[in-house]
Amino acid sequence: MRNSKTDIGLLIIRVVIGTTMIAFHGIPKLMGGVEGWTKIGQSMQTIGINFLPTMWGFSAGFTETVGSFLLILGLWTRPASWLLAFTMLIAVVVHLSKGDGLSGASHAIEFLSVYVTFAIMGPGRLSVDKK
């Protein structure tokens, strides 16, 4: 059984990670419009997916925005976290394939590890999922 300090810690991480992802990654991607979505979606070529780049780019921005909002609330945390983790996995692969190294991919790796952790652990008791 977790103690209340653990649940407060999970809440803080959910709010900080979710807010920064929405503000600095999700919303800017959504605001990029069709041209931006297409450019971002072309990243899927790195894993051999060469179709519908606009849809993939929009999906990345949508997942980073809506998925992060769900994470903050602790609502549908596990599915949202798996979608966010997949988005970050693609970001890691893209950075590494461009030759950015671990230093260039580190931010995406950090987010990936947080999302996988929430997908496994859940949001804690201070969440809509637990109400």
Side-chain angles (χ1 to χ4, degrees):
M1 177 181 255
R2 289 189 263 218
N3 66 37
S4 62
K5 289 180 184 177
T6 300
D7 292 308
I8 291 169
L10 290 170
L11 175 63
I12 291 168
I13 294 169
R14 287 191 350 253
V15 170
V16 171
I17 292 294
T19 302
T20 58
M21 179 56 76
I22 290 169
F24 300 114
H25 302 282
I27 299 263
K29 279 184 183 75
L30 289 178
M31 299 301 288
V34 173
E35 185 177 318
W37 302 336
T38 302
K39 183 177 178 185
I40 291 163
Q42 289 170 341
S43 299
M44 295 297 283
Q45 293 175 358
T46 307
I47 62 168
I49 296 177
N50 299 309
F51 56 89
L52 299 173
T54 306
M55 182 208 66
W56 291 113
F58 174 79
S59 295
F62 184 82
T63 299
E64 290 174 357
T65 303
V66 175
S68 294
F69 182 69
L70 293 172
L71 183 70
I72 291 167
L73 295 176
L75 176 62
W76 300 325
T77 303
R78 286 186 166 99
S81 294
W82 282 122
L83 290 171
L84 287 159
F86 176 76
T87 303
M88 290 302 103
L89 179 62
I90 299 302
V92 169
V93 170
V94 167
H95 280 291
L96 294 177
S97 71
K98 288 184 352 185
D100 294 341
L102 289 176
S103 148
S106 65
H107 197 54
I109 292 168
E110 292 158 358
F111 274 112
L112 173 62
S113 67
V114 170
Y115 296 140
V116 169
T117 300
F118 277 111
I120 293 168
M121 286 183 62
R125 287 185 284 188
L126 300 176
S127 64
V128 175
D129 284 345
K130 297 298 177 184
K131 298 296 173 204

